[in-house]
Amino acid sequence: MLFTEKNGSRAAYSKDPAVVKVGKKYFLYFSSYYEDGGREKLGIGIATSNDGERWSSAGKIPLTQECEKNGIGAPAAIVLQGKVHLFYQSYGNWKRDAILHAVSDDGLHFEKDESNPVFRPTEDWCAGRAIDADVVPFQGKLYLYFATRDFDMQVQMVGVAVADLNGDFSRGCWQQGVAAPVLKPEYAWEGECIEAPATVVHDNKIYLFYGGSYNCTPQQIGAAVSEDGVHFKKLFQEPFLRAGEAGSWNSSESGHPYVFRDDDGKVWLYYQGSGDQGESWYLSKCEIGFCEGLPRIL
């Protein structure tokens, strides 16, 4: 699978994948650029598929709220009680970017949360920014993982917030799991950045895949695991999924992962890639499995 769209002035630009299945149809949400009010802004596109391999563009999320006026992106999606919940970020506000929430019955048309933005972390341990959301049900709660930065806005790291799984996920429902990062850069290949958390529950543990290093430096994908959703152990000192070889579509990056478990139990790792230092962006996927507590690419 290789998917991209031509939007605005970009010939090929699709980033930050998120996938769900509603009935027999797959929905792919992704970041791209669209014209809005005479300006090009980052937005969220929608594509659909009958097989999870071949995708057709199906629309975009309109910018309708004040907190969305500069753009939106980096979606995460989950189906709860038959409804698609989209968690995504405001864009273009630097330290003030935060997590937004919307709900859909059909995967295409969304009702925005009136309390948006619904979450940003406290500023006693980070800059107060929240981007790159991912959510996963675990032990009766909904865990929200997000990327934030240190006070100097140099180092990107991952935090966590928690809400009651039976709530409406509006502002006020979320509490920080801990006022500290749950993952931060450690190894040389991670540079100054860990972002784009992507989670799946397996064997009563949360496995979290992440993008290490900033875009095209190159960003590559790592993996960690937690038994409580807060304390994580990195599983590998080297990337779990590397950038491609010179000349390949992803030679500059294999990054910003997203994990989707299909109805048949298969687990797919979606990710973005670039082969030209970010001039163009494509989305792809690979199947992963687990052996003796470790994820592996099948």
Side-chain angles (χ1 to χ4, degrees), residues 250-263:
N250 61 334
S251 60
S252 298
E253 168 165 332
S254 294
H256 202 108
Y258 187 83
V259 185
F260 167 68
R261 189 188 296 274
D262 208 340
D263 295 339

Side-chain angles (χ1 to χ4, degrees), residues 56-186:
S56 300
S57 299
K60 62 180 181 179
I61 307 295
L63 307 181
T64 58
Q65 294 183 315
E66 176 67 18
C67 57
E68 300 176 327
K69 66 180 180 180
N70 293 327
I72 57 176
I78 188 171
V79 178
L80 297 171
Q81 297 180 347
K83 296 181 182 292
V84 179
H85 290 257
L86 198 69
F87 293 87
Y88 57 104
Q89 70 169 78
S90 62
Y91 182 77
N93 307 291
W94 201 219
K95 287 185 178 182
R96 303 308 297 167
D97 278 320
I99 304 302
L100 316 179
H101 174 232
V103 183
S104 174
D105 290 321
D106 62 4
L108 295 172
H109 305 92
F110 283 85
E111 181 178 347
K112 309 285 182 64
D113 195 312
E114 293 182 357
S115 70
N116 277 336
V118 297
F119 177 77
R120 62 165 51 94
T122 59
E123 297 179 35
D124 54 347
W125 65 276
C126 67
R129 186 190 201 210
I131 63 170
D132 292 359
D134 189 60
V135 291
V136 62
F138 186 64
Q139 298 179 351
K141 303 286 186 179
L142 189 66
Y143 282 69
L144 166 67
Y145 296 93
F146 59 92
T148 189
R149 292 203 185 190
D150 65 359
F151 296 114
D152 295 326
M153 292 294 285
Q154 297 296 315
V155 179
Q156 196 111 290
M157 47 198 176
V158 171
V160 63
V162 183
D164 191 316
L165 193 53
N166 296 316
D168 62 5
F169 312 128
S170 60
R171 190 192 307 182
C173 290
W174 297 97
Q175 293 184 341
Q176 291 183 138
V178 60
V182 298
L183 281 178
K184 58 184 179 180
E186 177 183 1

